[in-house]
Amino acid sequence: MANLGIDVLFKGTNFLRLLQGLWVSVEISLVSVAISIILGLLVGVLMTLNKLWLKAILKIYLEIVRIMPQMVLLFIVYFGTTRVFGWDITAEAAAIFVFSFWGVAEMGDLVRGSIKSIPKIQFESAYALGMDKKQTYFYIILPQTIRRLIPLSINLITRMIKTTSLVMMIGIVEVLKVAQQIIEANRKASPNAAFGVFAVVFLLYFIVCWPISRLAVYLEKRWA
Amino acid sequence: MDIDILKSYIPLYKDALFLTMKIGWQGILLSLILGLVGAAVLHFKVPVLKVITGIYIEIFRNTPLLVQLFFIYFALPKVGVKITAETCGVLGLGMLGGAYMIETIRSGLESIPVIQTESALSLGMTKEQTFIHVILPQAISMSVPGLLANVIFLLKETSVFSTISLMDLMFTAKDLIGMYAKTIECLFLLVLFYLIMLLPVSILGAFVERRMRYGQFGD
Amino acid sequence: MSELLKVTHLQKKFGDNVVLKDINLSVKKGEVVVIIGPSGCGKSTFLRCLNGLEEIQDGVIVVDGLPVEAGKREITKLRQKIGMVFQSYELFPHKTVLENIILAPMKVQKRSKDEATKEALELLDKVGLVDKKDYYPRQLSGGQKQRVAIVRALLMHPEILLFDEVTAALDPEMVHEVLETMLALAKSGSTMLIVTHEMSFARAIADRILFLDKGEIVEESNDAKSFFIQPTTERARKFLKTFAYE
Amino acid sequence: MSELLKVTHLQKKFGDNVVLKDINLSVKKGEVVVIIGPSGCGKSTFLRCLNGLEEIQDGVIVVDGLPVEAGKREITKLRQKIGMVFQSYELFPHKTVLENIILAPMKVQKRSKDEATKEALELLDKVGLVDKKDYYPRQLSGGQKQRVAIVRALLMHPEILLFDEVTAALDPEMVHEVLETMLALAKSGSTMLIVTHEMSFARAIADRILFLDKGEIVEESNDAKSFFIQPTTERARKFLKTFAYE
Amino acid sequence: GSSDNSAATLDAGTTDSSKETGSAAGFRTLDEIKESGTINIGVFSDKSPFGYVDENGEYAGYDVYFAERIGKDLGVEINYVSTEAANRIEYLQTGKVDIILANFTVTEERAQEVDFALPYMNVALGVVSPSDAVVESLDDIGADDQVIVISGTTAETYLTKNYPDIKLQKYDAYAEAKTAFENGNGVAWANDNTEVIAFSIENEGYTVGIPSLGDNDTIAPAVTKGNETLLTWLNDEITSLGDEQFFHADYEATLLDTYGADYEDTLVVEGGKVQ
Ligand SMILES: Nc1ncnc2c1ncn2[C@@H]1O[C@H](COP(=O)(O)OP(=O)(O)OP(=O)(O)O)[C@@H](O)[C@H]1O
Ligand SMILES: Nc1ncnc2c1ncn2[C@@H]1O[C@H](COP(=O)(O)OP(=O)(O)OP(=O)(O)O)[C@@H](O)[C@H]1O
Ligand SMILES: [Mg+2]
Ligand SMILES: [Mg+2]
């Protein structure tokens, strides 16, 4: 087992491609998280309103996201929209849609939790100062909510990056797919390439996710 | 959708469901044990072990389960440790879950006011008695919603078991699509069986969360 | 018109639970009214009704000629006439002392930042906190926080100030500094409604004492000193006894 | 041996911050000592040192002939001699009133469940809470919680009871019921060290008053009445003034 | 009785609607493809030597060699789409690719979903096992022994249908299946004989005990069901390429390294005619 196949990575543009694949994962995650935060704020606020039908709809939405495997969602969005509506959306768009669909629900729930955890007295003292509902949410409640949320949403980024390997199902070539391509293209020359390449992939994931989750811990402590 | 096809596939999905549940719940049990032990280690700041636990958490939380399984299943035999796919699935899921469970239980522990520990100590209880009778039960009930969220997350993560030849729900679906090309039927059953597996847990989670909120605020 | 606040036949229920029954009260400009009574008798609820934080089931509340109706658009106008300070935790934790104070004047009353800041600093100076203007609430002691909350209410130039047990969560020395601030306000002629459990403070500051029990005004006295020595009702006597030992 | 507690040259630091300097104190069986002083002067820290919740940097604490040494195994033995009640939130929320009370006697002193329960019910009866035995803490008022906490401490048959501002978080009427319970204990001959901000209560219960300031015993008086009227030190006089208005 | 009826109705309904979408947006005709200037071809990107990405990021392999020629003859650019075994049909049915050239074995079930053009390669099954315990007949396999297969391959379908008692150990990807086989997780590995033969050539200690199993299958390009114009063009193309022995050239360029010259005639189907 002397040759673990790391050398394979230095053939041609292999390593560069691996990094490009990683960037695809990170990019999809970042865009999705950005969308998730913005829409999640809105959904979260909606979740706290006392409208029964709205609550029911959002609850169902949340349950769907929790229970449906992301791969099924990817299939449905990427192929289903074409079948049913005849839309031909790109795989990247489908992936971002599905990840955002997931993220918005999760963020929404986090936002709801954070808003609920803000003492009622914060609303009331804003009202007592003559602010209306909109001003109260905008200047008082949301800024506090966001601070609690940022560490949590950072964790969502790492979870998304780790889940992006599913997008290969709709033809997107991300880091794990590139890894498989490299392993297969070099199977003859270095049969053990799987180990080296996967070790590097393991490391790459760690290098990307670890600082992000440390940042979350740091912010959580700072804003606690 | 073709009902006959659905009917003929259902037994396959049922087998997959049983396998997924079997491995899933064993893995979850393991993760809970790891979670308790790890959280206790961090809580008591046990020298050495504390550092090991920290490293363990960082590694398992920041890499995908797929890659973790790959190492346990394919790399360990190369150094002479051979385990069956099922054991590997349980181990992999348990190790990943453990890292999440530790964090959840630990934050439950941290949310218990120091005064609880101190009043138990002033009643003459030892550190261990305090932990077991006073702190842990409270921490667990504080963490229940988080623990259930972890359970759902872990049951869903079983979808990567296909890598190590375990015929879980996801793999069954992909496999049947590959062989017989009945995409719609296969995905429909996949969603249905995930519902069967996860909906009860999810409902339980919502229920427990509501009960806890009542608990905190009085009646 | 020297009558600032007029409450007639006020009734407030939570579900079937009648919390305030037929309350009548009229407060003149410059008056300091102290409301005391056992826990749960409805003191906080009463103050909250006054600035429309609670809907009322019956009766009329009129502040400076305008009726208080919770939920209506105009309520935000009305609330600018009423300053309110709560028991605690009400400063906005994500804003500095100064930002806390000038936020509402700027956003609600559309005053310029410079002008609001100038007045805020003057008021902060009066309560001895001008050097803390850039601190965050968590960096302040409880007593300092409450004084900032008072300044925040004052900057809106309210007609009436409502104080709900503003010292209940404070350490004794801090109680003192907050109550001193309130005494100063009373001397300067502010109209105030104060709920408190500090009997000696109530005695010192009150023009009028209301004793509330089970949602009713059981005793009303324009002579705080004699009320504390010799209340006329049995219920008030029993209540006051809980503050003495031996 | 009637000397239950002896503290000599006690020094306590947090880092470089000396919080208690050279404290000397001796308490006899049956004595009630009340400790007063401004916030942050070290009252709580002192009580916590006494039952080994804090490590001390210098000096000796001896309870009933045994030295208190935080962190040592024997500390659990010693703590059984010392009952302590805190400001609040100390009942175990996941256990009923009765379970809260009998947990330590059973687990620590290995007493039988029946015997512990029997005594617990007797004591609960004394404080008027026997009908609440199966309630959970969240179903009790603050005053009831504190009385349960006192019973819980009593069931361990401690030699000394330490009370740290047990009424600070309570509504005024509840303050009364808790203090009455403590007065009854004092009358029955319990040895107690009490930290409180309730001056009239301190005057009523104290055999001895300690006035602590900046970690030092500034004034010690065996005559509570005259201390409150005419303290000998300037610092005590200033402190007492913060409790009066006008 | 009644359940049969409802199934039949449902079935009819599906066929109708799929026909509708098929003609509306389901596929692009030959002219539409030419007009657009680009053709979308679904290939494997990790199945060397048939369809893979080389170390410079370029698609290569037996299937890709053919795809390149298609692009050239149509006079259009090629847009490669990386497919998985499980989504090849979906890509065609939604018209997201025009042709699948991903080592697609012709089967009855698949033929109901997509239209296959003429074949361009033979495939049969083979079984490889460790030399010290060679499996020479599938009847030798014990009740507790497991045979490794790759999900979605014809080997899996064949064994499931004809040897339902044999326990299969299924993997998603080649790399994993082979590693597991090397680790001794199964007594044998059943796959396309091309693969197992190559494996025994490259790895010492393994023997192909069963070189050919079951029917001979073929591999062919597939298009969306009903895409007559493209199908006809592909069939004509394959037939005429036979004249220049194109697929032999393809073999020599892409498969020779792996299989050597011996298998050239067994594997290659020239001009769409199976010998
Ligand atoms: N949001 C609410 N829903 C239902 N009942 C309420 C609500 N708020 C207050 N109450 C009830 O109304 C009554 C009066 O409460 P309120 O808070 O006004 O009393 P209080 O006099 O301010 O007491 P304290 O001195 O303890 O502050 C109490 O019986 C209380 O239980
Ligand atoms: N864990 C700690 N770490 C560092 N400093 C502490 C700690 N606990 C207390 N102190 C400091 O020790 C001093 C005494 O605190 P202590 O709580 O004993 O005061 P206290 O007299 O009980 O005040 P209060 O009346 O507010 O309860 C204070 O200056 C406090 O800041
Ligand atoms: Mg109140
Ligand atoms: Mg203290």
Side-chain angles (χ1 to χ4, degrees):
Chain A
M1 285 312 303
N3 176 12
L4 282 175
I6 308 243
D7 51 325
V8 164
L9 286 171
F10 300 104
K11 274 196 200 155
T13 58
N14 280 352
F15 194 67
L16 190 67
R17 280 169 53 220
L18 209 56
L19 290 181
Q20 280 166 352
L22 188 67
W23 175 242
V24 169
S25 304
V26 174
E27 203 180 17
I28 289 176
S29 311
L30 288 180
V31 174
S32 308
V33 167
I35 295 174
S36 302
I37 289 178
I38 295 165
L39 294 182
L41 277 173
L42 191 74
V43 168
V45 171
L46 293 181
M47 279 174 172
T48 60
L49 298 183
N50 263 330
K51 292 237 167 40
L52 216 58
W53 58 271
L54 196 65
K55 266 192 180 162
I57 291 175
L58 292 172
K59 186 80 203 158
I60 292 170
Y61 166 40
L62 187 65
E63 284 303 298
I64 290 177
V65 172
R66 287 236 169 110
I67 286 171
M68 284 270 241
Q70 269 93 21
M71 193 195 97
V72 175
L73 290 175
L74 282 173
F75 248 87
I76 291 175
V77 171
Y78 187 52
F79 297 117
T81 50
T82 313
R83 267 177 191 270
V84 179
F85 306 111
W87 299 343
D88 194 11
I89 56 175
T90 66
E92 283 77 11
I96 287 174
F97 181 86
V98 168
F99 277 70
S100 305
F101 184 75
W102 163 34
V104 169
E106 294 243 357
M107 282 305 291
D109 199 42
L110 293 175
V111 170
R112 179 193 60 89
S114 313
I115 290 181
K116 279 271 156 79
S117 75
I118 290 177
K120 218 173 113 204
I121 191 91
Q122 290 284 328
F123 287 86
E124 296 188 336
S125 43
Y127 293 153
L129 284 168
M131 292 191 204
D132 58 28
K133 261 202 170 122
K134 249 185 282 162
Q135 289 172 325
T136 304
Y137 266 100
F138 198 74
Y139 297 115
I140 308 302
I141 306 305
L142 286 184
Q144 293 185 52
T145 312
I146 288 170
R147 287 185 165 220
R148 290 173 202 217
L149 275 177
I150 285 181
L152 298 172
S153 48
I154 290 176
N155 277 329
L156 191 63
I157 300 180
T158 61
R159 276 169 59 206
M160 282 191 174
I161 293 176
K162 287 189 289 169
T163 315
T164 41
S165 53
L166 289 174
V167 302
M168 71 167 82
M169 283 311 298
I170 56 171
I172 298 177
V173 180
E174 48 64 70
V175 61
L176 221 55
K177 187 76 207 174
V178 175
Q180 285 180 359
Q181 289 175 356
I182 292 174
I183 292 166
E184 278 306 305
N186 298 281
R187 212 168 65 227
K188 255 192 317 287
S190 26
N192 287 318
F195 294 96
V197 174
F198 270 96
V200 170
V201 170
F202 192 94
L203 208 66
L204 284 178
Y205 269 116
F206 189 77
I207 290 171
V208 170
C209 293
W210 191 67
I212 297 180
S213 48
R214 292 320 295 175
L215 179 68
V217 172
Y218 169 76
L219 290 179
E220 214 163 0
K221 288 225 174 92
R222 240 199 85 178
W223 285 340
Chain B
M1 244 186 286
D2 190 325
I3 293 216
D4 287 335
I5 290 181
L6 288 183
K7 273 192 201 144
S8 66
Y9 285 177
I10 282 179
L12 295 172
Y13 276 88
K14 221 165 66 193
D15 290 349
L17 179 72
F18 285 146
L19 184 81
T20 307
M21 297 267 264
K22 188 171 138 209
I23 297 173
W25 288 110
Q26 284 175 6
I28 286 164
L29 195 71
L30 176 64
S31 73
L32 280 172
I33 294 169
L34 284 174
L36 280 175
V37 173
V41 164
L42 293 182
H43 182 77
F44 287 117
K45 304 197 171 68
V46 183
V48 191
L49 284 182
K50 177 182 77 178
V51 180
I52 296 175
T53 309
I55 294 172
Y56 158 69
I57 292 175
E58 295 299 338
I59 289 180
F60 278 82
R61 282 191 67 121
N62 288 300
T63 49
L65 176 60
L66 179 65
V67 187
Q68 293 162 17
L69 284 181
F70 195 89
F71 272 104
I72 300 177
Y73 192 63
F74 295 114
L76 287 186
K78 299 271 174 193
V79 291
V81 187
K82 208 177 141 190
I83 41 183
T84 68
E86 277 194 33
T87 317
C88 172
V90 172
L91 209 63
L93 199 67
M95 297 284 279
L96 172 78
Y100 281 83
M101 296 293 185
I102 290 177
E103 291 276 291
T104 310
I105 297 175
R106 194 187 58 134
S107 69
L109 285 173
E110 276 176 2
S111 74
I112 309 302
V114 192
I115 190 91
Q116 289 282 329
T117 309
E118 293 186 342
S119 46
L121 290 178
S122 8
L123 285 168
M125 293 193 196
T126 59
K127 265 188 180 174
E128 295 76 19
Q129 286 173 326
T130 303
F131 185 70
I132 291 170
H133 296 294
V134 177
I135 306 305
L136 195 59
Q138 294 185 54
I140 299 271
S141 73
M142 287 300 290
S143 331
V144 164
L147 293 176
L148 281 173
N150 287 350
V151 165
I152 293 181
F153 160 72
L154 289 175
L155 285 176
K156 269 170 73 170
E157 283 286 293
T158 54
S159 60
V160 306
F161 284 171
S162 57
T163 326
I164 53 168
S165 84
L166 291 172
M167 288 294 292
D168 79 304
L169 284 172
M170 183 71 81
F171 193 30
T172 302
K174 278 202 275 185
D175 193 37
L176 287 173
I177 293 173
M179 277 198 288
Y180 306 118
K182 299 288 179 212
T183 312
I184 298 179
E185 285 84 356
C186 288
L187 288 181
F188 172 77
L189 286 175
L190 180 62
V191 171
L192 187 74
F193 275 82
Y194 265 104
L195 270 178
I196 293 173
M197 180 166 74
L198 294 177
L199 200 57
V201 186
S202 179
I203 290 172
L204 181 71
F207 176 74
V208 170
E209 207 182 340
R210 190 160 331 126
R211 269 209 46 176
M212 286 213 13
R213 216 172 292 142
Y214 281 134
Q216 276 167 16
F217 290 138
D219 41 21
Chain C
M1 196 193 62
S2 71
E3 187 172 76
L4 252 187
L5 168 72
K6 184 151 183 69
V7 178
T8 25
H9 299 304
L10 166 62
Q11 194 200 40
K12 166 74 199 166
K13 295 191 219 173
F14 284 113
D16 286 341
N17 182 15
V18 182
V19 172
L20 294 172
K21 320 184 182 124
D22 193 31
I23 303 273
N24 293 284
L25 176 70
S26 144
V27 179
K28 285 202 273 294
K29 207 173 165 72
E31 243 188 325
V32 176
V33 179
V34 173
I35 304 169
I36 60 173
S39 177
C41 70
K43 306 181 294 295
S44 300
T45 308
F46 180 57
L47 292 193
R48 294 161 57 81
C49 290
L50 293 186
N51 78 351
L53 285 176
E54 301 282 356
E55 260 179 85
I56 60 177
Q57 274 64 51
D58 200 7
V60 184
I61 302 172
V62 180
V63 175
D64 203 15
L66 294 172
V68 175
E69 283 169 275
K72 287 276 168 64
R73 277 256 143 224
E74 305 78 55
I75 192 74
T76 63
K77 282 253 162 51
L78 224 141
R79 282 181 180 142
Q80 298 175 40
K81 294 182 183 291
I82 307 171
M84 183 154 180
V85 183
F86 301 82
Q87 182 168 330
S88 58
Y89 304 122
E90 83 219 82
L91 290 189
F92 307 134
H94 60 299
K95 297 201 176 284
T96 64
V97 166
L98 189 60
E99 288 165 358
N100 257 283
I101 299 175
I102 62 175
L103 179 69
M106 279 164 55
K107 301 298 169 191
V108 179
Q109 301 181 325
K110 314 284 176 208
R111 285 156 65 183
S112 82
K113 187 171 173 175
D114 288 350
E115 188 264 328
T117 306
K118 191 165 156 278
E119 195 189 343
L121 293 179
E122 279 167 24
L123 283 172
L124 276 176
D125 195 27
K126 270 197 194 143
V127 298
L129 289 176
V130 74
D131 53 325
K132 306 276 192 235
K133 71 178 166 51
D134 294 324
Y135 281 42
Y136 281 91
R138 65 185 134 79
Q139 298 169 300
L140 301 181
S141 76
Q144 291 168 336
K145 275 188 241 183
Q146 288 300 56
R147 283 182 283 160
V148 171
I150 293 173
V151 168
R152 191 174 67 176
L154 287 177
L155 205 62
M156 298 292 287
H157 305 269
E159 304 283 337
I160 308 185
L161 285 165
L162 311 180
F163 293 91
D164 188 5
E165 295 191 43
V166 291
T167 60
L170 301 183
D171 280 334
E173 292 108 307
M174 298 174 180
V175 171
H176 206 68
E177 64 195 30
V178 173
L179 296 184
E180 291 291 351
T181 305
M182 289 165 69
L183 276 171
L185 281 175
K187 283 198 188 113
S188 73
S190 300
T191 315
M192 305 199 274
L193 256 75
I194 302 173
V195 168
T196 185
H197 279 303
E198 302 282 335
M199 293 304 146
S200 51
F201 170 70
R203 186 156 54 178
I205 201 171
D207 292 324
R208 184 140 49 113
I209 295 267
L210 294 185
F211 174 63
L212 212 65
D213 195 10
K214 304 205 175 102
E216 288 174 309
I217 299 182
V218 175
E219 191 169 340
E220 189 167 351
S221 159
N222 286 318
D223 183 352
K225 299 246 155 48
S226 65
F227 171 82
F228 283 102
I229 297 164
Q230 198 62 268
T232 55
T233 61
E234 181 55 32
R235 267 145 97 188
R237 202 169 308 144
K238 235 178 118 189
F239 172 72
L240 288 176
K241 246 187 77 182
T242 59
F243 292 88
Y245 301 92
E246 284 144 295
Chain D
M1 196 191 67
S2 70
E3 187 173 73
L4 254 184
L5 168 72
K6 186 151 181 70
V7 179
T8 25
H9 299 306
L10 165 61
Q11 194 201 40
K12 165 75 199 165
K13 295 193 219 172
F14 284 113
D16 287 341
N17 181 15
V18 182
V19 172
L20 294 172
K21 324 185 178 117
D22 194 30
I23 304 273
N24 293 284
L25 176 70
S26 144
V27 179
K28 283 201 271 297
K29 208 173 168 69
E31 243 187 325
V32 177
V33 179
V34 174
I35 304 168
I36 62 173
S39 177
C41 71
K43 304 181 296 295
S44 301
T45 308
F46 180 55
L47 292 193
R48 294 161 57 81
C49 289
L50 294 185
N51 80 352
L53 287 175
E54 300 282 357
E55 262 180 82
I56 61 176
Q57 275 64 51
D58 201 4
V60 183
I61 302 171
V62 179
V63 174
D64 202 15
L66 294 172
V68 175
E69 282 170 275
K72 285 275 166 64
R73 274 267 142 208
E74 304 80 53
I75 193 73
T76 64
K77 282 254 163 49
L78 225 141
R79 282 182 182 139
Q80 298 174 39
K81 294 181 182 291
I82 308 172
M84 184 152 180
V85 183
F86 301 83
Q87 183 167 332
S88 58
Y89 303 119
E90 83 218 79
L91 289 189
F92 308 136
H94 60 301
K95 296 196 177 286
T96 64
V97 165
L98 189 61
E99 288 166 357
N100 256 284
I101 299 176
I102 63 176
L103 178 70
M106 281 164 55
K107 300 293 171 196
V108 178
Q109 299 180 326
K110 312 285 176 207
R111 285 156 67 182
S112 82
K113 188 172 176 178
D114 289 348
E115 188 265 330
T117 306
K118 192 164 155 278
E119 195 188 344
L121 293 179
E122 280 167 24
L123 283 172
L124 276 177
D125 195 28
K126 270 196 196 143
V127 298
L129 288 175
V130 73
D131 53 324
K132 307 274 192 232
K133 71 178 166 51
D134 295 324
Y135 282 42
Y136 281 90
R138 68 185 131 83
Q139 298 169 300
L140 302 181
S141 76
Q144 291 168 336
K145 276 188 239 181
Q146 288 300 55
R147 282 182 283 160
V148 172
I150 293 174
V151 169
R152 190 174 67 176
L154 286 179
L155 205 63
M156 297 294 287
H157 305 244
E159 304 282 339
I160 308 185
L161 285 165
L162 311 179
F163 293 91
D164 189 6
E165 295 191 42
V166 290
T167 61
L170 300 183
D171 280 335
E173 293 109 305
M174 298 172 179
V175 170
H176 206 65
E177 64 195 32
V178 174
L179 296 183
E180 290 294 348
T181 305
M182 289 165 70
L183 275 170
L185 281 174
K187 279 194 190 119
S188 73
S190 300
T191 316
M192 305 199 276
L193 256 75
I194 302 171
V195 168
T196 185
H197 279 302
E198 303 281 334
M199 293 305 147
S200 50
F201 170 70
R203 185 156 53 176
I205 201 171
D207 293 326
R208 186 142 45 116
I209 295 268
L210 295 185
F211 175 64
L212 212 66
D213 194 10
K214 304 205 176 105
E216 288 175 308
I217 299 182
V218 174
E219 190 167 341
E220 188 167 352
S221 160
N222 286 319
D223 182 352
K225 300 246 154 47
S226 63
F227 171 82
F228 282 101
I229 297 164
Q230 198 63 267
T232 55
T233 60
E234 182 54 34
R235 268 144 98 187
R237 202 169 306 144
K238 235 178 119 188
F239 172 70
L240 288 176
K241 248 186 75 183
T242 59
F243 291 85
Y245 301 92
E246 287 142 294
Chain E
S2 69
S3 70
D4 270 348
N5 266 342
S6 69
T9 331
L10 265 179
D11 217 356
T14 328
T15 337
D16 275 347
S17 68
S18 69
K19 236 180 231 155
E20 252 169 346
T21 49
S23 52
F27 57 77
R28 303 193 299 165
T29 61
L30 187 64
D31 288 342
E32 283 165 350
I33 293 168
K34 280 185 177 159
E35 209 168 291
S36 77
T38 327
I39 186 165
N40 300 316
I41 301 184
V43 293
F44 280 130
S45 66
D46 59 355
K47 202 183 177 208
S48 157
F50 300 103
Y52 64 97
V53 176
D54 68 15
E55 63 261 30
N56 298 314
E58 306 287 344
Y59 279 88
Y62 185 78
D63 294 341
V64 173
Y65 190 92
F66 180 29
E68 289 290 332
R69 180 62 186 257
I70 290 174
K72 196 174 141 221
D73 290 346
L74 274 176
V76 294
E77 298 279 306
I78 301 173
N79 172 37
Y80 287 111
V81 176
S82 161
T83 62
E84 304 291 318
N87 62 18
R88 287 176 293 191
I89 290 183
E90 205 62 33
Y91 266 113
L92 283 179
Q93 290 185 337
T94 54
K96 285 186 188 290
V97 300
D98 300 304
I99 305 175
I100 285 284
L101 265 181
N103 225 249
F104 212 12
T105 305
V106 181
T107 69
E108 233 174 86
E109 289 92 357
R110 287 170 181 166
Q112 288 171 11
E113 307 289 332
V114 300
D115 282 341
F116 284 103
L118 293 173
Y120 62 91
M121 197 171 107
N122 276 316
V123 64
L125 303 180
V127 179
V128 63
S129 38
S131 302
D132 49 12
V134 181
V135 174
E136 289 184 333
S137 158
L138 285 177
D139 302 318
D140 295 349
I141 288 171
D144 291 330
D145 294 338
Q146 293 194 320
V147 173
I148 292 173
V149 294
I150 290 165
S151 167
T153 57
T154 40
E156 184 194 13
T157 323
Y158 177 80
L159 289 176
T160 310
K161 209 181 278 171
N162 299 302
Y163 294 85
D165 293 335
I166 293 182
K167 282 198 189 126
L168 299 181
Q169 197 178 101
K170 304 179 183 183
Y171 289 90
D172 260 347
Y174 276 86
E176 288 145 22
K178 285 183 195 166
T179 315
F181 183 48
E182 280 168 11
N183 288 346
N185 289 341
V187 292
W189 174 34
N191 202 19
D192 294 356
N193 56 4
T194 49
E195 290 290 342
V196 298
I197 290 163
F199 185 84
S200 70
I201 293 173
E202 283 156 15
N203 296 277
E204 241 168 73
Y206 294 96
T207 308
V208 178
I210 309 173
S212 181
L213 187 68
D215 307 328
N216 275 331
D217 281 320
T218 54
I219 283 173
V223 300
T224 313
K225 208 155 192 54
N227 196 349
E228 301 286 343
T229 50
L230 186 57
L231 188 66
T232 316
W233 184 86
L234 269 176
N235 285 339
D236 292 348
E237 173 82 354
I238 292 171
T239 317
S240 64
L241 284 177
D243 301 339
E244 54 176 272
Q245 296 287 297
F246 172 82
F247 291 103
H248 282 85
D250 189 350
Y251 182 98
E252 277 148 30
T254 58
L255 302 185
L256 195 65
D257 276 353
T258 313
Y259 299 107
D262 293 350
Y263 288 94
E264 184 159 341
D265 287 325
T266 359
L267 282 181
V268 170
V269 174
E270 201 64 80
K273 286 191 270 293
V274 184
Q275 252 81 57

